[in-house]
Every structure is written in C-alpha cells, then in structure tokens.
Amino acid sequence: MSLKMIAGNTLVPRPYLKKWARWLAQLQEITQADAIWLMSLQGDRLQTVLDSAQPSLDQRTAASELANRLAEQAITARAVVEEYCAEVGCCCVSVPLCWPDASVYGALVLMAGKNGRSLLEWLRHMLESDFRTLHFVRAIDQHKNLLETRIAERTDDLRMANERLAQELSLTQRTAQLLRQMVIHVPGGDEHGYFHKLVQQLVQMLRAEHAFVALIDDQDPSRASTISCYSGNDWHANFNFEIARTPCSHVHKRRGVFTSCDLDSEFPETQAQFGLQAETYLGVPLLDEAGCTLGVMAAMGGGDMLEAHLANEVIELLAARTGSEILRMHTEDELRHLALHDSLTGLPNRIHFRGRLEQAIAQAERAHTHLAVLFIDLDEFKTINDSLGHDVGDRVLVQASKLLEASMRDMDSVARLGGDEFAALLPGADSLEADAVFQRIAKAMSTPLLSEGIELFLSASVGCSLYPDDGTDSGSLLRSADTAMYRAKALGKNQLQFYAQHSKQTIQRDLVVGNRLRKAINAGELYVVYQPKIDLRDGSLVGAEALCRWHDQELGEVSPGEFIPIAERAGIISDLGALVIKQVIADLQEWQCQQIEVPKVAVNVSAKQLQTTEFTQWLAESVRSAGLKPHHLVIELTESVLMERNDINLPVLAELVACGFRISVDDFGTGYSSLAYLKRMPISEIKIDRSFVEHLADDQGDQAIAAAILTLGHTLGHVVVAEGIENEQQLRVLRALHCDVGQGFLFHRPLSRTAFHELLMHESGSK
C-alpha cells in the first residue's frame, strides 16, 4: 500500500502525521479498502492530508470527488455519512474529526472496506484522543505566553508576584515539555514504555517520592494492579491492592482529583497496601470515552509536593492523555486480534496458525523432538450448508470448532483455515499421539448436533504430517497433511490418514499423468471402446456403453480408474467427456450412413460436465448436426452426480429429457439410493452395480439387494441393467429375478469400434 502525505498542517506536528499514517495503513490492510483519506478543514476548504488511494484505482477522479463530497456532508452534519456510488462501484464512509472544543478539524473517508465502519469509528476515537492532547498542549502554550506577557508588564512593586508567576511558568514549561515528550515521542515495541516514562517524569515534575499507574482488575473490580511504579529513583515491582483500603477509593468514587495531606491518620493501611512511605497523596482517575473508570494515576511524597497550585491541573492533563493511551492500546489489541483470528469461531486464522507452527518447528529443531500437524475437513458440510442454509452452516462450524478444541491436549492448538477446513498443531506428538487425538475427535463428533429441530451428524476426514519426516517447514507440513486428508476422503471419509513417501510418489505420478493427459486430449489420442448390452430375455443386442481408453507412448496403457480421477482433479474432465461424446456421435453417424441399425449408446457424463453452461444445447446440436436422434444417446450418471447440487442438476436433466435423451443411473445401490431422488429425477434406466452381481450366485444378501433394486426399478417403470455378468450362474439368477438387460465378459468384453461395427453387421444380417 502506498500512503502519501499530501499536505502538512500547522496545528498538527509532523510526528503525529507519521503516526496517523501508520494507523491508516493498518486500517486499510485489515479492511482491504480501495482507498482511505484524512482531510483537514483549512478555512472553508478541505485539504487532503493523507491519501492511500491505489494508483490503479478506476475512476480515481470520481472517487476523489465522492470522498470530498461525503467529507463535507460529515463535517456539516457532525455525523457518519455513508453512500454507495454506482460510478465508482463501491461504498464510501466518512466520519467527522473534532477538537475538544467542538470545532472541526476535518474528516476521515474510507472506500470499500470490510468491517470498515466500525473500525473507522475506532480510528476516529484514537485520532480525537490525540486532538485532546494537542488541545491541552496549545492551551498550556497559550497560558505560558500569557504569563510571559504579564511578567514583562509588571513593575518593580510586583516583583514578589512576578517570582510566583515565574515559578508557575517554570512548572508550566516542564509540563508542556513533558506532554510533548509523552505524545510526540510515542514509544514503540514495549507497550509499557509510555507508562514508565510518565511516572518517572511525574515524580520529577511534582517533586514527589513515588508515582504509579494502576488499572482496575477486569475479573475483580474491587482490586487494582499497577502497571508501572517509580519510587526512590528506581523502579518498584508491580503490586496488586484492594482499592477500598486506600485513598484510591476516593478517586474512584468521585471520578476527580483527590488529595490527602495526612495519609497516616486518614488511611493508616496505605503503607501496608503499597509498601511506600509518604505523607501526601495526589490521585486522579483514568477514564474511558464513556466516563467509566479504567484505573488510577497517583503521586505520593512529602508535604511540599502540593505547593504548586497547578499540580491538580497538571495531573488532570496527564490523566486525560494516559486514558487515551490505554484506549489506544486496547484498540490495537482488538485490531491485532481481528487480524489473527477467525471472526466466526474465534479460533486462530491461517496466518496466526502458520506463525505458531513456525515457532513450534524452531523449538522442535532445538530440542530434537517431534510434532504433528492435522489437516481437518468436515465431511458432507457442503450438503448441510446448501440444503439448510448458511446460518445453520455457521452454527455447525462454531459447534465443530468447540468439539475440536475439546478434543485437543492442553498444549495443542486448533485454527480455522477457511470454509470447513481446520488445522491442529500437536507439539511433541508422534503418530500414536496423533491417532489418539483423532479418536477423541471422532468420538466427540459421533453425537448428533441439533439445529432447528434437525439432527445433524458430523464426521471429519483428517490428514496428518509429522515433523521432521514429512517436512521441515510450515508450508511443506501443511501441504503433506492436506494431501493425507484428501487420501482419507478418497478412502471413505471419517478417518485419519498419515502422509507417507508413497503419497509423494503418487503426487508425482499424478502430475506426470495429468500433463500427458492434457496433451493427449488436445491431440485426440484417446479412443472409445464399446461394451455391448444384451437383452436377457432373448440374447439380442440392445445397445452398448461407450468407454474411454488411453495408450500413451511414454506411459503405456493407462487405466481409466487412474486417468479419470486425475482429469477431475485437474479440471479437464469436461474436455475428456466432450471428446468421448464427439467420437461416439461420429461413429454412430458413420454406421447410420452404412444403413446399419444404430444402437442406443450410453455415455458417462461427469457432474462438472453436466453443470457446464449450455451443455444440453451443445449436446442436442451435436446430435442434430450428425443426422441422429436424441434417443440414440443415453446419458449415464452416477448416484453421487445426481445428488451433487441437485437444485442445479434437476432442471438440466429435465431439459435433456425434453430434448429426447434418456437418463441412466450407474452404480445404483452404492450411494444415496433413496426413493426421493428416484421419484423426482426423470430417470429411464438404473444399473445394478457389479459389486452386487459378483457373488450373486452364492450370496443371499446380494440376491436380496438385486431383487429389491429390480422390484423398485420396475415399480417405477425403469429398465434395469445388471453390470459385470461373468458366468452362467449369475445369468440364471438375474433371469429368474426378471432382470431386463445385462453386460459383462460372459457376453462380450469391451470391443474396439471395428469389432463393434462387425458385431452390428452380424446382428443386422441375422434379423
């Protein structure tokens, strides 16, 4: 981000502008704003003081004009102004900036920020706290100038009075110098540096013996703890005390300056509480914007400590600045928390987790110990989010984050990386301890969650990488755990998988196959074979299933079971599917021109291909251009494809059926298999998965499943096809169950286009 200081301002020292520039830069980074301006009112004109607009921002002139207009409105109304500008294409928020005397300094303008308005309000409070300090400094300077003028005008008969004024002037000068040091020289790094300097200067300026700043305990408001204490030219250890037994209680109650000149008699237990001997006490409350007491600032010493009548004013001024500093620290803590934590779950975010992981790796390296990284992905969360809405999804994520935290060891930490992905850091853990943590996660998630009266069942697929075996830096450990997580999903979900060397080899193989496959698709090197489908009643040929095959010059014969999943992961499955469909249409067109009766050929369609824009139009036009009819192609889909984004798939399937295409469900019985989707979807055919056919002759369970699928399919008016028929025993059982169509090695192995063409010729001649 480029932050330009456009103009100075005689009312604001340059160190302030530099400090404000850092704040604006932090705000722009957190809100991801396109631009942010700090504008000062110079007479009746607005002048830009700080400008962080990106040079590449479109419509920069329009954006600047909008910013100036909103700044003028905010100053006039003395209120926040927000407006969306269609020309610029973003939202713009402006807040006024005011001096303590209600005069206007200028305005802050933020364009297109995330959580911008609330953070802009926080920044305004921080800036206006600086205005208060500058206002007090100017007031003291004015008072100093007044005293100098009065001294010059006095005559000799007012010499004694002038000496008193000179003493006041000296105190005023010391006070002004102290304020400048405390404000302009803002300490960096050590957040208590400001308070250490404050109490040290307070002792010197008031000729006190002790000074301290104490904050009220958030957990127990009856007690306070010092954050800085200077005593006897040395630092005193911070201590905790009971407010009611000290003069600080009067400061707290009155919310104003309180003095005591006889501590021993008025507050006899003070020395026991503080451990500091003193005769007099001067204290003032530290207040927040709402007037609530944050703590106490006090000075203690001898009887001469309160001789200067400006002592009360001095400590009040310092208290106002100190209260603003405490609020600034709290605001910075909140901004830091927002930058490092997930806003929904409160868990550390990816940036924070990477930092923790890098620290843990450094510690493990020094100590020669292990650590484990878990990559956690909630199973079926997308289904919950899409079907029940994002509000339910958010509640599930919050509950899941709590279950994950409860499953960890005391030294472990959990982070949300984004979406439904979490990560856990297990310092000192080996594979056995990582498995024990996963078992607790699985047990915690086995109890159903109740949301709006609906029981939701959660599970997680978890991948684990170990330091140093699977990586020696945060990036490689996270990538290894991510790879192992995807393996856990591929093997059935709800399990833990460890990253291993063969995983790396698998990744390298996938990269090689993916690159070769992309080239093969572009070069048209893949080819189609046909698996005949036989009518089980009379043995006649009723169609075929088109299957893709690939022989690579370098890799040799590559199995579809390997290259099809790689095509899906590489995002080229739609190109692969289109290649197969084009080849099938070309073959059918050629056979039809030869006066051969064209069979119905089933082509497999992926979810990505089905959801491609204008897929139905492209398919219908391809068939029409070849002089074929839509019923010549059967669109074959798996159950998982049907159920994935069924809100999108259902209209597409309806369009396909309306065009004349038929829909077949492949691998039926292995997925959702519910009457609900069979009833809704415009299906014509279901296929019994080969896993139920393999042991059909001797497994009564498979026979019962096959019978149930056949009954279900016939009841709904669907044709039922059995896959993987390899022997006569399977065939007899299927015929006894009245199965309509079969395919398998018993009839034909997948045939090349030439061999299938000969089979078609034979079938045509036998009729």
Side-chain angles (χ1 to χ4, degrees):
M1 181 196 72
S2 175
L3 190 66
K4 297 181 292 186
M5 191 176 296
I6 305 300
N9 188 309
T10 56
L11 299 178
V12 179
R14 191 172 184 82
Y16 270 73
L17 295 178
K18 291 183 178 179
K19 178 175 64 173
W20 293 355
R22 291 197 304 271
W23 290 351
L24 264 63
Q26 292 175 359
L27 177 62
Q28 184 172 16
E29 180 178 357
I30 292 173
T31 60
Q32 299 177 3
D34 290 327
I36 182 167
W37 293 271
L38 174 62
M39 298 182 179
S40 171
L41 190 63
Q42 305 288 337
D44 59 351
R45 295 177 62 253
L46 274 174
Q47 183 176 7
T48 299
V49 178
L50 295 172
D51 177 10
S52 70
Q54 298 294 339
S56 60
L57 181 65
D58 294 334
Q59 304 295 335
R60 180 183 178 97
T61 302
S64 299
E65 292 176 355
L66 173 61
N68 275 277
R69 179 166 55 80
L70 290 187
E72 292 175 355
Q73 293 178 8
I75 291 171
T76 302
R78 300 289 179 90
V80 178
V81 176
E82 185 172 358
E83 179 177 328
Y84 178 82
C85 180
E87 181 179 359
V88 179
C90 60
C91 186
C92 194
V93 182
S94 178
V95 297
L97 300 173
C98 298
W99 292 100
D101 60 3
S103 63
V104 176
Y105 170 80
L108 272 174
V109 182
L110 177 73
M111 184 162 289
K114 178 183 178 185
N115 297 326
R117 178 165 180 169
S118 60
L119 294 176
L120 203 61
E121 288 280 0
W122 289 344
L123 183 57
R124 177 176 67 168
H125 292 319
M126 294 170 67
L127 293 177
E128 290 183 348
S129 71
D130 283 347
F131 291 158
R132 284 196 297 274
T133 301
L134 290 170
H135 182 72
F136 292 141
V137 171
R138 294 210 313 271
I140 291 174
D141 284 337
Q142 291 172 359
H143 184 67
K144 174 177 69 70
N145 294 334
L146 176 62
L147 292 178
E148 289 175 339
T149 302
R150 291 174 61 188
I151 290 174
E153 294 173 350
R154 294 291 185 182
T155 59
D156 290 340
D157 59 348
L158 296 178
R159 182 176 55 82
M160 295 299 296
N162 285 342
E163 289 179 358
R164 179 61 180 268
L165 291 176
Q167 292 177 359
E168 292 182 4
L169 174 60
S170 176
L171 178 60
T172 301
Q173 290 173 333
R174 295 201 307 272
T175 302
Q177 181 182 6
L178 173 61
L179 286 175
R180 290 190 183 93
Q181 291 176 346
M182 299 303 298
V183 175
I184 296 177
H185 301 291
V186 180
D190 179 9
E191 64 179 16
H192 289 161
Y194 169 86
F195 302 105
H196 291 337
K197 192 168 188 177
L198 169 69
V199 296
Q200 188 178 31
Q201 294 288 343
L202 196 60
V203 166
Q204 297 174 3
M205 185 170 57
L206 297 180
R207 298 184 178 89
E209 296 176 11
H210 325 287
F212 64 84
V213 174
L215 298 182
I216 295 175
D217 193 326
D218 292 334
Q219 305 300 323
D220 184 4
S222 67
R223 303 189 66 83
S225 300
T226 61
I227 59 174
S228 184
C229 179
Y230 190 71
S231 172
N233 296 324
D234 200 0
W235 298 106
H236 195 81
N238 293 338
F239 54 89
N240 183 284
F241 60 91
E242 185 178 346
I243 298 174
R245 301 167 63 190
T246 69
C248 296
S249 61
H250 289 262
V251 176
H252 189 16
K253 291 176 183 177
R254 298 179 182 182
R255 296 187 182 178
V257 177
F258 174 75
T259 60
S260 173
C261 297
D262 190 359
L263 283 178
D264 287 341
S265 60
E266 293 181 5
F267 301 94
E269 297 185 23
T270 298
Q271 181 176 343
Q273 283 269 49
F274 292 160
L276 304 174
Q277 289 186 339
E279 178 182 346
T280 58
Y281 171 94
L282 174 62
V284 64
L286 305 174
L287 306 177
D288 63 13
E289 292 289 336
C292 298
T293 304
L294 298 171
V296 175
M297 182 172 67
M300 302 167 64
D304 62 343
M305 191 186 78
L306 302 179
E307 287 183 357
H309 74 272
L310 282 180
N312 286 14
E313 296 180 29
V314 169
I315 200 167
E316 280 187 315
L317 288 173
L318 292 177
R321 175 67 185 96
T322 303
S324 298
E325 182 68 16
I326 293 172
L327 289 176
R328 182 193 64 78
M329 288 170 51
H330 289 172
T331 302
E332 284 188 353
D333 289 341
E334 290 181 16
L335 292 175
R336 192 177 300 111
H337 182 85
L338 285 173
L340 297 177
H341 289 79
D342 173 52
S343 59
L344 176 64
T345 63
L347 293 176
N349 59 17
R350 182 183 293 271
I351 297 174
H352 196 180
F353 183 79
R354 287 288 289 264
R356 286 186 177 181
L357 178 55
E358 288 167 0
Q359 291 178 356
I361 291 172
Q363 293 172 358
E365 183 179 9
R366 289 193 297 269
H368 303 288
T369 58
H370 295 80
L371 66 83
V373 174
L374 302 183
F375 201 105
I376 306 163
D377 187 271
L378 300 183
D379 298 329
E380 308 302 340
F381 174 76
K382 187 174 185 298
T383 302
I384 294 174
N385 210 35
D386 290 346
S387 58
L388 300 180
H390 295 291
D391 290 341
V392 174
D394 286 349
R395 288 196 291 272
V396 168
L397 289 173
V398 171
Q399 294 183 65
S401 68
K402 294 178 180 177
L403 293 176
L404 291 174
E405 282 191 297
S407 303
M408 298 293 128
R409 306 172 304 169
D410 291 341
M411 71 286 290
D412 300 337
S413 58
V414 182
R416 183 186 177 206
L417 304 183
D420 60 344
E421 292 182 340
F422 298 83
L425 170 61
L426 282 54
D430 56 15
S431 57
L432 292 177
E433 290 166 311
D435 183 70
V437 171
F438 169 74
Q439 296 302 328
R440 290 196 293 271
I441 293 174
K443 183 178 180 180
M445 289 191 174
S446 63
T447 303
L449 303 178
L450 191 64
S451 179
E452 298 182 354
I454 302 174
E455 280 191 338
L456 301 175
F457 292 87
L458 286 182
S459 65
S461 297
V462 181
C464 178
S465 61
L466 300 172
Y467 171 88
D469 298 338
D470 302 328
T472 55
D473 59 83
S474 60
S476 60
L477 285 172
L478 278 171
R479 286 193 298 273
S480 298
D482 188 21
T483 299
M485 182 275 294
Y486 276 105
R487 179 172 172 80
K489 279 196 173 295
L491 293 177
K493 304 179 181 179
N494 192 25
Q495 60 180 280
L496 169 69
Q497 286 290 320
F498 289 90
Y499 182 81
Q501 185 62 32
H502 75 270
S503 298
K504 181 180 291 186
Q505 295 170 352
T506 300
I507 293 171
Q508 293 172 346
R509 167 75 178 183
D510 284 359
L511 288 174
V512 172
V513 173
N515 291 334
R516 298 291 301 173
L517 179 60
R518 194 182 301 273
K519 294 177 181 177
I521 292 174
N522 293 334
E525 295 175 357
L526 286 83
Y527 59 95
V528 175
V529 296
Y530 295 90
Q531 173 87 59
K533 299 168 78 171
I534 306 300
D535 189 325
L536 297 186
R537 292 167 297 185
D538 58 15
S540 62
L541 178 69
V542 295
E545 179 181 359
L547 304 172
C548 187
R549 295 292 185 264
W550 177 30
H551 181 86
D552 184 77
Q553 291 181 354
E554 295 183 7
L555 304 175
E557 197 71 30
V558 185
S559 166
E562 180 180 12
F563 72 75
I564 289 178
I566 291 176
E568 290 177 341
R569 293 195 294 270
I572 55 177
I573 189 65
S574 295
D575 297 332
L576 177 60
L579 183 148
V580 172
I581 291 174
K582 290 176 182 177
Q583 183 61 59
V584 170
I585 290 176
D587 290 344
L588 292 178
Q589 181 184 28
E590 180 181 342
W591 297 332
Q592 181 172 261
C593 292
Q594 296 174 4
Q595 304 301 315
I596 298 174
E597 184 177 347
V598 178
K600 297 180 178 63
V601 177
V603 291
N604 293 279
V605 174
S606 68
K608 197 172 189 68
Q609 191 175 7
L610 186 68
Q611 293 162 10
T612 301
T613 305
E614 299 179 349
F615 171 72
T616 302
Q617 181 180 348
W618 171 81
L619 185 62
E621 179 60 27
S622 299
V623 170
R624 187 194 63 78
S625 299
L628 300 173
K629 300 296 184 184
H631 69 262
H632 288 137
L633 285 186
V634 178
I635 308 302
E636 197 165 291
L637 308 165
T638 62
E639 283 186 293
S640 59
V641 169
L642 283 174
M643 293 305 296
E644 182 181 340
R645 300 297 304 274
N646 54 41
D647 56 328
I648 295 176
N649 291 341
L650 187 57
V652 177
L653 295 178
E655 290 179 3
L656 288 168
V657 172
C659 291
F661 297 103
R662 298 175 64 215
I663 309 299
S664 175
V665 181
D666 194 13
D667 300 335
F668 186 81
T670 61
Y672 295 88
S673 301
S674 79
L675 283 172
Y677 92 76
L678 283 177
K679 179 181 177 182
R680 292 197 311 272
M681 299 291 184
I683 298 165
S684 302
E685 177 183 283
I686 58 177
K687 300 179 72 175
I688 304 174
D689 185 68
R690 64 180 65 248
S691 62
F692 301 124
V693 176
E694 183 178 2
H695 302 290
L696 194 60
D698 53 13
D699 190 314
Q700 293 183 350
D702 285 346
Q703 290 178 15
I705 292 173
I709 293 174
L710 281 159
T711 301
L712 179 62
H714 289 156
T715 300
L716 294 174
H718 303 329
V719 173
V720 181
V721 180
E723 295 183 294
I725 303 174
E726 297 183 354
N727 56 58
E728 292 290 344
Q729 292 83 359
Q730 296 168 344
L731 178 59
R732 281 197 297 270
V733 174
L734 289 168
R735 280 176 172 167
L737 294 174
H738 305 292
C739 184
D740 304 307
V741 178
Q743 63 183 85
F745 290 175
L746 178 62
F747 308 112
H748 297 280
R749 290 181 176 273
L751 303 174
S752 66
R753 63 186 301 274
T754 302
F756 187 61
H757 175 242
E758 292 175 356
L759 178 62
L760 290 177
M761 295 285 288
H762 175 74
E763 287 287 325
S764 298
S766 62
K767 292 184 179 180

